[in-house]
Amino acid sequence: MTIYDLVIKNGLVIDPAQEIEEKFDIAVSRGVIESVEKNIPSSSAKTVIDASGMIVTPGIIDLHTHVCYSICPRLGVAPDKTCLVNGSTTVLDAGSAGHIVFPSFREFIINNSRTKIYALLNIGSIGLVTFFFDRVKSVLLSPELIDISETISCIEKNRDIIKGVKWHHVYGQEALLLARQVADKTGTFMMCENSALYWYPIDIVLKFMKKGDILTHCFHGGPAPAVIDEEGRVRQEVEEARRRGVIFDVGHGQASFSFSVAEKSIQQGLEPTTISTDLHLGNINGPVYDVGTTLTKFLLLGLSLRDVVEKATLNPAKALGISDRLGNLRPSSVADIVVWKLVKGKYELIDCMGEKRISEELLRPIYVVSNGELVVR
Ligand SMILES: [Zn+2]
């Protein structure tokens, strides 16, 4: 008889990649999924997890985080302690590092974390190193901090990790054009902020965006124009961008998620393509906390559990071009798995505008498996 390293039994398996939403057992060996089937005997495993009454999903792929900790001292969170233990087995760092600090980010953080880390390179040379240092913030606005050829060369040297370029509003509108050039020249994509600031209305930002590009903070509540207009209707430019394949990503963050904008958008059929946290030091103690809390907000907004899982596993995997081995529970895929409990109670969830809503359930990770190994129990 085959002896597996780990078998997860009796859980409700939700794997949108295989269109599974049913009770199955999952067997894991040597870091990969071996099989997903009914009644795998407990005696065939070195370790057994009983997931009765729980939900089993692929490891979460959080498409917007800032894990460049210590290099960005007031922004970055430590990935293993904040993302991995809470269910995000893979994260995308959304432009914490520019080309000057990327080598340190790679050597000291990416190479030494259990969390799988992909990155977007910031269009600004030092990225967000000085973020939340208000007295030196204006330094960032200098166009002299952008070097296109160094940025391109850094992407080319780190193709396995760097998936695209990040336009961050602090670098100004001119940088948007430069980010477009970098993405086109390297054949990668661009992530743009649906930004807080008055200077960059969404119609201007969307003009630069193509298929496969990611508009993060998609349910920003303002003060700049949101995806919905003053009458609450989804803007024409937004509909057009969605039709041409722009990805709408939540990127909850400290100031970038409004229940009311999300609700009105979803009612009109504008669902996010991907649900991400924008987890960083400024929001980890609220309003974001962790990925389970962000996912719960979308259950509260009426999305099904299956849809929420798809938007945090399969869809981000596709956006990053890694869906062959991550974001799903297919046999031979990497064994990144989360066992969740939908805990009943009364939970006050808060958005970035201060609006509170009560949820009667909260998605909590009970077991996290990364590369076939149990991370938390
Ligand atoms: Zn961010």
Side-chain angles (χ1 to χ4, degrees):
M1 187 170 67
T2 322
I3 296 292
Y4 301 113
D5 291 342
L6 172 71
V7 168
I8 301 172
K9 288 189 65 69
N10 309 317
L12 173 66
V13 175
I14 302 183
D15 182 19
Q18 301 184 85
E19 295 185 8
I20 292 177
E21 188 173 356
E22 205 179 329
K23 256 194 183 183
F24 274 108
D25 297 344
I26 299 178
V28 168
S29 273
R30 294 173 302 277
V32 299
I33 310 270
E34 290 277 347
S35 71
V36 179
E37 54 188 288
K38 304 273 182 190
N39 304 318
I40 302 175
S42 297
S43 56
S44 68
K46 291 179 203 159
T47 306
V48 178
I49 289 175
D50 182 7
S52 300
M54 296 189 239
I55 297 147
V56 183
T57 73
I60 299 300
I61 300 175
D62 192 341
L63 204 60
H64 190 155
T65 63
H66 294 280
V67 294
C68 195
Y69 72 101
S70 77
I71 295 172
C72 299
R74 293 194 180 161
L75 181 74
V77 292
D80 292 353
K81 287 185 210 158
T82 59
C83 302
L84 185 63
V85 296
N86 287 311
S88 299
T89 47
T90 302
V91 301
L92 180 69
D93 182 279
S96 303
H99 67 84
I100 292 176
V101 290
F102 185 80
S104 309
F105 181 27
R106 178 166 191 148
E107 183 171 348
F108 300 115
I109 299 173
I110 296 174
N111 292 352
N112 289 305
S113 298
R114 283 180 83 182
T115 316
K116 295 172 188 74
I117 302 170
Y118 293 97
L120 300 179
L121 196 63
N122 201 304
I123 189 65
S125 298
I126 60 165
L128 301 176
V129 167
T130 61
F131 206 72
F132 291 134
F133 286 86
D134 287 342
R135 275 184 283 164
V136 289
K137 208 169 153 189
S138 60
V139 169
L140 292 177
L141 296 170
S142 164
E144 283 158 26
L145 270 180
I146 294 178
D147 185 324
I148 294 297
S149 63
E150 291 280 6
T151 301
I152 290 173
S153 136
C154 182
I155 292 175
E156 278 168 355
K157 276 185 214 145
N158 296 280
R159 289 260 180 203
D160 54 335
I161 300 291
I162 301 178
K163 295 292 180 181
V165 59
K166 174 79 185 285
W167 171 71
H168 193 276
H169 69 263
V170 293
Y171 285 97
Q173 193 180 326
E174 204 179 315
L176 191 49
L177 193 66
L178 300 174
R180 176 76 276 153
Q181 284 175 17
V182 170
D184 290 345
K185 281 188 180 154
T186 53
T188 61
F189 66 81
M190 172 166 81
M191 177 188 269
C192 294
E193 292 181 293
N194 175 22
S195 183
L197 302 185
Y198 296 98
W199 341 313
Y200 310 119
I202 187 165
D203 54 322
I204 293 183
V205 175
L206 285 175
K207 262 185 205 141
F208 291 90
M209 300 186 71
K210 300 180 179 173
K211 182 178 181 351
D213 287 338
I214 301 171
L215 183 78
T216 192
H217 307 325
C218 69
F219 297 137
H220 204 296
V227 286
I228 53 172
D229 63 19
E230 292 69 26
E231 274 83 53
R233 284 182 309 245
V234 171
R235 290 175 195 279
Q236 197 63 41
E237 299 89 342
V238 170
E239 291 288 6
E240 281 162 19
R242 190 164 61 140
R243 275 198 291 274
R244 69 175 181 270
V246 170
I247 291 164
F248 285 77
D249 173 61
V250 171
H252 186 308
Q254 188 177 14
S256 313
F257 174 73
S258 154
F259 271 130
S260 139
V261 170
E263 189 163 52
K264 287 182 186 133
S265 303
I266 291 169
Q267 274 164 6
Q268 293 167 72
L270 181 73
E271 288 189 5
T273 324
T274 53
I275 302 175
S276 67
T277 60
D278 187 14
L279 193 70
H280 61 68
L281 285 178
N283 61 44
I284 193 161
N285 295 314
V288 173
Y289 300 105
D290 51 49
V291 72
T293 304
T294 300
L295 298 179
T296 304
K297 287 175 181 172
F298 283 86
L299 295 176
L300 189 62
L301 285 164
L303 266 57
S304 68
L305 189 54
R306 185 220 170 270
D307 284 352
V308 164
V309 171
E310 179 171 18
K311 292 170 190 301
T313 58
L314 178 62
N315 291 359
K318 283 183 184 164
L320 295 176
I322 54 174
S323 60
D324 56 330
R325 57 193 196 284
L326 294 170
N328 65 75
L329 299 171
R330 280 189 217 104
S332 86
S333 281
V334 175
D336 286 355
I337 307 167
V338 186
V339 180
W340 305 88
K341 200 165 199 168
L342 209 44
V343 186
K344 302 291 170 194
K346 277 224 174 320
Y347 301 96
E348 188 181 81
L349 305 179
I350 186 162
D351 71 3
C352 304
M353 319 298 284
E355 193 184 325
K356 292 169 184 165
R357 298 203 178 180
I358 302 294
S359 174
E360 293 187 344
E361 53 190 17
L362 189 65
L363 209 44
R364 300 309 308 157
I366 307 299
Y367 300 97
V368 177
V369 175
S370 171
N371 290 333
E373 285 174 21
L374 208 50
V375 177
V376 282
R377 186 193 327 234

